[in-house]
Amino acid sequence: MNPFLGKFITLEGIEGMGKTTQLNVIADYLKQKNIPVMTTREPGGTPIAEALRKIVLTDTSESIASKTELLLFYAARLQHYENLIKPALEKGTWVISDRFYDATFAYQGGGRELGFEMILPLHHWVLGEFSPDLTFLFDGPAELSIARIQARNLEHKIQNDRIEKEKGDFFERIRQAYLALARQQPKRFCVLDSAKSKHEVSQEIIKHLDEKWGKGI
Ligand SMILES: Nc1ncnc2c1ncn2[C@@H]1O[C@H](COP(=O)(O)OP(=O)(O)OP(=O)(O)O)[C@@H](O)[C@H]1O
Ligand SMILES: [Mg+2]
């Protein structure tokens, strides 16, 4: 539930599936319609949340407990929600976030095998019933994800981060957890096939936005 004036759209899916690419397409489309839009990402979005992002993504010699990782993500998320997302939505600005809480259910719940049930009490304590209006899930196999990350990181000469270093079965568990979330909440989720071309995916997104809010935008 989003009780505020602006709409809240989130983009989810395993690495390299096209979230950031399509985030810009959605923002440009809404701007063309004169809708005030703000884009952001998780983990991060505010200075404190970005500092927490560095902690969770940096590969250090100290291992991180799955529950520590979970708490850090929710600490970052609450800063993001209170100081950026909520004030923008209250003003009527639409917010598009590159990942939000579904990522925790998929990565920590599915990938790290904590399960959804373990996360729910913390989730409700932090966010209550707040939820995106629409979530695009960029779905594709782990092999496609790994191939795209390698290509992108080689192109930009960057090292894989701590999470990108995980093996294929970790990403496959995350993918399955995302698909389970989409089946549980079919009204909120729009599942996209990331193996299609960038242009085809953009077209599907725009079609979905028009169908959902055509009269309002
Ligand atoms: N539909 C597509 N077909 C082919 N290549 C694509 C497609 N979408 C994105 N790419 C390319 O794949 C790479 C990863 O895309 P992008 O960074 O948008 O993914 P992401 O989901 O944001 O990844 P991450 O979770 O790592 O941030 C980029 O090099 C991008 O140009
Ligand atoms: Mg991205």
Side-chain angles (χ1 to χ4, degrees):
M1 179 196 60
N2 167 12
F4 308 113
L5 196 57
K7 303 287 184 206
F8 184 40
I9 302 172
T10 57
L11 282 67
E12 298 284 355
I14 56 176
E15 271 79 351
M17 292 290 99
K19 297 177 293 297
T20 308
T21 306
Q22 302 295 342
L23 179 94
N24 299 318
V25 171
I26 300 172
D28 289 346
Y29 183 69
L30 295 175
K31 280 180 201 156
Q32 261 178 38
K33 304 244 172 198
N34 292 320
I35 293 171
V37 187
M38 193 190 75
T39 60
T40 185
R41 69 167 181 184
E42 283 215 347
T46 74
I48 291 175
E50 289 287 335
L52 290 165
R53 177 191 179 94
K54 278 210 187 87
I55 297 176
V56 286
L57 295 182
T58 304
D59 197 9
T60 60
S61 56
E62 181 183 352
S63 70
I64 186 162
S66 296
K67 286 182 184 171
T68 307
E69 193 181 58
L70 178 68
L71 290 166
L72 288 169
F73 276 118
Y74 269 97
R77 180 159 303 132
L78 189 52
Q79 287 303 113
H80 190 207
Y81 173 70
E82 287 292 343
N83 295 342
L84 198 101
I85 298 172
K86 188 169 134 194
L89 294 175
E90 280 174 337
K91 275 197 313 198
T93 300
W94 288 36
V95 178
I96 313 168
S97 187
D98 197 333
R99 298 187 185 283
F100 194 56
Y101 68 65
D102 295 300
T104 303
F105 284 88
Y107 280 72
Q108 281 67 48
R112 303 258 184 250
E113 299 180 282
L114 288 176
F116 294 172
E117 291 300 314
M118 219 225 71
I119 300 169
L120 278 168
L122 173 66
H123 174 81
H124 288 303
W125 184 66
V126 173
L127 286 182
E129 295 302 317
F130 179 74
S131 167
D133 296 286
L134 171 61
T135 300
F136 287 108
L137 172 57
F138 293 78
D139 179 57
E143 303 86 74
L144 182 65
S145 163
I146 291 163
R148 288 213 188 137
I149 298 168
Q150 296 305 347
R152 184 190 56 193
N153 291 359
L154 257 173
E155 189 188 332
H156 298 286
K157 296 193 173 65
I158 48 176
Q159 302 272 319
N160 286 357
D161 69 32
R162 190 175 61 81
I163 291 182
E164 287 169 352
K165 284 182 182 166
E166 293 284 348
K167 301 275 179 304
D169 56 346
F170 175 73
F171 291 111
E172 201 51 50
R173 282 201 301 277
I174 296 165
R175 179 192 188 195
Q176 293 309 325
Y178 267 133
L179 289 170
L181 291 166
R183 280 194 300 273
Q184 282 172 9
Q185 298 166 74
K187 278 199 180 142
R188 173 162 72 87
F189 275 88
C190 171
V191 182
L192 300 158
D193 179 359
S194 291
K196 290 186 178 167
S197 73
K198 288 183 195 179
H199 181 69
E200 280 175 298
V201 176
S202 302
Q203 297 274 299
E204 275 187 40
I205 288 173
I206 287 168
K207 189 165 157 255
H208 193 84
L209 289 172
D210 284 344
E211 277 168 12
K212 194 169 172 76
W213 287 304
K215 289 192 192 105
I217 59 177

